[in-house]
Amino acid sequence: GAVVSQHPSRVICKSGTSVKIECRSLDFQATTMFWYRQFPKQSLMLMATSNEGSKATYEQGVEKDKFLINHASLTLSTLTVTSAHPEDSSFYICSASLVETQYFGPGTRLLVL
Amino acid sequence: GENVEQHPSTLSVQEGDSAVIKCTYSDSASNYFPWYKQELGKRPQLIIDIRSNVGEKKDQRIAVTLNKTAKHFSLHITETQPEDSAVYFCAASNINNNDMRFGAGTRLTVKP
């Protein structure tokens, strides 16, 4: 139980394009989903908290117009990196909460050329 | 907000030895403390967790202790094996607001 999927697993895009990442809880309903960014050899940095049916709550320093989050249902949240630039290249991981525990997706490695 | 510190950043042990990773947190309202194991390029996997109403929890070779007064908690791995090699993250959160903060991680290497 408590499986979270994330797609795509890897994406390469040109600078200036937008990339959408999907996060799904497969066998449970998640009222809250989270989006993290992880740089090599570093910890998970929370970008935003996404609640179904409402606007996401962004962490300080995270541009909400650049990282668009949509939580359309209890099993799906999407993160769109708009007008991506090379500095946006990173490992993006989502998680979904079941009671107090967060279960993570496999991550999406984004490379912006 | 919550601030979680984790030590050491790297830890190398011989197979069969024990490994201990320590974390401190700042927010006394935090009441849930999970530990995650992350292998290279993969997702963090929950390995054990503890709530604030419990002082210790054990699951086979893994145990976690919590000292609420001192605001610190530790992960103990006994009889380490090479497959225990990974990065381990502690985290602290308040169950009521789901606001989870992670430590910086500990890279554990178990030498055969």
Side-chain angles (χ1 to χ4, degrees):
Chain A
V3 177
V4 178
S5 71
Q6 193 174 332
H7 295 281
S9 59
R10 187 182 297 267
V11 58
I12 301 173
C13 69
K14 292 183 179 180
S15 185
T17 60
S18 294
V19 175
K20 180 186 281 190
I21 304 170
E22 289 189 351
C23 178
R24 293 180 186 272
S25 56
L26 298 184
D27 52 358
F28 66 100
Q29 293 183 330
T31 307
T32 307
M33 290 186 172
F34 304 84
W35 288 95
Y36 293 86
R37 186 172 179 176
Q38 188 176 34
F39 291 105
K41 298 184 179 181
Q42 292 191 24
S43 188
L44 298 148
M45 300 298 296
L46 180 64
M47 298 175 65
T49 301
S50 168
N51 291 295
E52 186 265 338
S54 63
K55 291 183 179 180
T57 302
Y58 290 82
E59 293 298 298
Q60 192 173 6
V62 178
E63 298 176 58
K64 62 180 181 180
D65 294 330
K66 181 168 183 62
F67 298 99
L68 300 178
I69 291 173
N70 183 279
H71 195 155
S73 74
L74 287 172
T75 60
L76 172 64
S77 177
T78 61
L79 167 69
T80 301
V81 183
T82 62
S83 187
H85 291 285
E87 57 265 31
D88 297 325
S89 298
S90 190
F91 192 51
Y92 293 86
I93 307 180
C94 71
S95 72
S97 64
L98 180 61
V99 193
E100 70 270 14
T101 303
Q102 290 188 30
Y103 295 92
F104 287 86
T108 297
R109 191 163 299 283
L110 171 63
L111 177 62
V112 185
L113 302 177
Chain B
E2 177 63 274
N3 181 46
V4 179
E5 295 193 358
Q6 183 171 347
H7 300 280
S9 56
T10 61
L11 178 60
S12 181
V13 300
Q14 208 66 37
E15 181 177 2
D17 288 350
S18 296
V20 180
I21 302 170
K22 298 181 179 181
C23 288
T24 61
Y25 62 100
S26 61
D27 190 350
S28 57
S30 291
N31 50 20
Y32 175 66
F33 308 91
W35 285 87
Y36 289 88
K37 175 184 179 182
Q38 186 179 29
E39 298 178 13
L40 188 62
K42 296 189 177 179
R43 78 184 84 194
Q45 298 271 16
L46 178 71
I47 56 172
I48 196 167
D49 56 9
I50 191 168
R51 291 193 181 193
S52 59
N53 59 348
V54 176
E56 184 174 356
K57 184 177 178 181
K58 189 173 182 180
D59 182 4
Q60 299 183 346
R61 297 187 296 109
I62 295 173
V64 57
T65 59
L66 170 66
N67 183 325
K68 280 188 61 179
T69 303
K71 295 198 190 73
H72 64 71
F73 56 112
S74 301
L75 177 72
H76 303 252
I77 306 175
T78 58
E79 300 172 34
T80 54
Q81 301 166 2
E83 49 267 38
D84 294 330
S85 297
V87 177
Y88 291 81
F89 293 100
C90 65
S93 78
N94 184 322
I95 291 175
N96 297 320
N97 64 21
N98 260 321
D99 187 12
M100 186 175 291
R101 303 290 160 166
F102 288 82
T106 296
R107 183 172 301 276
L108 173 66
T109 303
V110 181
K111 300 176 185 176

